[in-house]
Amino acid sequence: MTTTTKTLVTGIQPTGRLHIGNYFGAFHQFVELQNTHESYFFIADLHAITSSEIQKDSQKFNEFINNIVLDSLALGVNPDKTCIYNQSEIPEISEIMWILSNFITVPTLSLGHAYKAAKSSKKELMFGLFAYPLLMASDILSVSADVVPVGKDQKQHLELTREIARKFNSNYKCDLLKIPGGHFCDMEEVVGTDGRKMSKSYKNTIPLFSGKENIKKSVMGIITDSKKEGEPLDPSTCTVFKYHTIFSKGALSDIEGRYKSGKINYKESKEILVDSIISYFAPFEEKRKEYENNSQLVSEILEKGTAQARGKIVEILNQIKKTVGIL
Ligand code: TYM
């Protein structure tokens, strides 16, 4: 790896099965960029504990973690090009978080979207959720990332990361912490089956690797208007059509024509979509089975990825400590 190679990092929370929002928000770009970057991909298990759902069932949480490793490998995160690791296996990330916590104010963290949402829904306000962006900053700054491929919902977290890095650098008059850039997908954000942002917490996802029946169930449940048989449908406002623009590219103009001329109903449009989604992800399903049947290989991948990433993170932690005056 030459010194001019840029560094890439992204993380996924194991809070349930992956969905197509995760795929287009993060994986799609990451898989391309890993070919030209020094790359780090991790399972954000420490972030996931901030979810009260995750706190209810530790065995299920553990299954989610294992599944996301397999899903990620199947979706093209390449262990020959990328360090793959569980965040909790590298304790130095949390140590860096503590030091960085002194370079962000409580009022700034109070502006975090997730914290504000929890506050307005009158949920119990836990410190972990409040500090979520700070841990994310540590994930990013601990590998000196140049680029972070994420969905647009993570924009605020990236801005906070930059703010922390700038404050640290300015306080110590150094440029130790690299200011990262974002890398967002072209889509504003992948919508869920109810038209809101696709999110596990809204239960409006189209899941990956959960079997054809679950894809069918989600797609058939997409909310549409109540136009009568034979009436023209409006593709510009239809959630089913939005998904066709991603998955049915070859047949898109035909489907659009049938929408406008009233020659398709929502049921048929959804059935076409189910087939398109299943064939889009079929090669990934095959690859996932291969990894599922080779748990030894998966353990080796994680061990190697953790060791390599940890080496770099320890080095950065030591530089941070030296800068602060601890070493
Ligand atoms: P998570 O698991 O919630 O989401 C993982 C990735 O999927 C993207 N995403 C979406 N993109 C488009 N449309 C959607 N509907 C949609 N839903 C999810 C997210 O933007 C994200 O890129 N905070 C991160 C995890 C994390 C992280 C990091 C990421 C922790 N530390 C450091 C990058 C770098 C998250 O929300 O994960």
Side-chain angles (χ1 to χ4, degrees):
M1 208 74 66
T2 64
T3 48
T4 52
T5 304
K6 299 237 184 239
T7 301
L8 185 69
V9 69
T10 204
I12 303 283
Q13 292 188 83
T15 44
R17 297 312 302 268
L18 289 181
H19 55 73
I20 63 172
N22 297 135
Y23 178 71
F24 288 102
F27 284 93
H28 201 246
Q29 295 91 280
F30 186 91
V31 164
E32 266 308 304
L33 293 167
Q34 70 182 339
N35 297 319
T36 48
H37 289 70
E38 177 187 326
S39 302
Y40 298 87
F41 180 95
F42 66 92
I43 316 302
D45 50 2
L46 293 177
H47 276 107
I49 320 174
T50 61
S51 151
S52 52
E53 281 304 306
I54 283 300
Q55 294 163 13
K56 285 183 188 150
D57 189 338
S58 45
Q59 197 180 330
K60 208 160 154 199
F61 182 29
N62 198 257
E63 279 166 24
F64 286 153
I65 295 171
N66 295 332
N67 273 321
I68 289 227
V69 175
L70 295 175
D71 295 348
S72 307
L73 290 165
L75 290 173
V77 179
N78 182 342
D80 294 328
K81 295 180 173 162
T82 295
C83 291
I84 306 172
Y85 53 99
N86 283 333
Q87 182 187 37
S88 61
E89 291 289 316
I90 305 186
E92 289 79 8
I93 296 172
S94 305
E95 204 176 336
I96 291 175
M97 172 179 154
W98 177 255
I99 297 176
L100 295 183
S101 72
N102 300 291
F103 298 90
I104 182 106
T105 65
V106 169
T108 305
L109 277 178
S110 309
L111 299 174
H113 295 321
Y115 176 75
K116 273 174 43 185
K119 201 169 171 189
S120 63
S121 69
K122 307 258 180 295
K123 279 190 190 152
E124 234 182 337
L125 292 172
M126 295 302 176
F127 179 75
L129 188 73
F130 180 71
Y132 184 111
L134 187 53
L135 180 58
M136 184 154 160
S138 308
D139 296 325
I140 297 169
L141 301 174
S142 65
V143 292
S144 295
D146 296 281
V147 193
V148 188
V150 278
K152 291 218 170 93
D153 59 338
Q154 300 299 306
K155 217 171 175 174
Q156 189 191 40
H157 291 152
L158 279 174
E159 277 157 14
L160 286 176
T161 302
R162 289 185 205 113
E163 196 174 325
I164 293 169
R166 283 196 195 103
K167 200 148 188 190
F168 180 96
N169 288 348
S170 124
N171 186 72
Y172 293 106
K173 300 185 180 39
C174 67
D175 57 1
L176 175 61
L177 300 182
K178 196 176 270 175
I179 313 294
H183 196 287
F184 306 110
C185 65
D186 310 335
M187 284 167 265
E188 198 34 51
E189 114 188 318
V190 178
V191 293
T193 54
D194 59 0
R196 293 186 291 171
K197 176 198 155 193
M198 183 173 286
S199 166
K200 281 165 249 180
S201 47
Y202 294 153
K203 300 195 173 16
N204 65 357
T205 65
I206 299 178
L208 299 178
F209 305 115
S210 298
K212 292 178 186 171
E213 277 315 304
N214 279 320
I215 291 181
K216 195 168 171 191
K217 200 169 142 206
S218 299
V219 170
M220 289 315 201
I222 296 171
I223 295 173
T224 55
D225 59 31
S226 49
K227 292 245 166 64
K228 293 203 185 73
E229 188 77 34
E231 264 189 83
L233 307 178
D234 183 356
S236 69
T237 56
C238 174
T239 305
V240 186
F241 191 82
K242 271 197 187 120
Y243 294 128
H244 278 307
T245 63
I246 308 174
F247 295 107
S248 313
K249 284 210 166 100
L252 199 61
S253 57
D254 175 53
I255 298 171
E256 188 173 3
R258 293 180 65 198
Y259 260 69
K260 289 182 174 161
S261 60
K263 293 211 170 81
I264 193 168
N265 59 28
Y266 288 123
K267 183 167 175 286
E268 193 194 344
S269 177
K270 287 176 179 179
E271 282 163 356
I272 296 171
L273 181 61
V274 171
D275 289 340
S276 303
I277 295 177
I278 288 170
S279 51
Y280 190 98
F281 288 107
F284 302 117
E285 297 270 357
E286 282 305 305
K287 207 164 160 202
R288 193 183 189 285
K289 278 191 201 121
E290 288 169 26
Y291 282 110
E292 206 174 341
N293 293 330
N294 199 343
S295 56
Q296 175 67 24
L297 174 65
V298 176
S299 303
E300 282 166 17
I301 288 170
L302 284 174
E303 245 170 67
K304 181 171 150 246
T306 306
Q308 272 184 15
R310 194 169 186 191
K312 174 158 186 175
I313 291 168
V314 166
E315 225 172 82
I316 305 241
L317 172 62
N318 284 340
Q319 287 177 34
I320 291 176
K321 280 181 163 175
K322 217 171 181 176
T323 306
V324 170
I326 299 177
L327 266 192

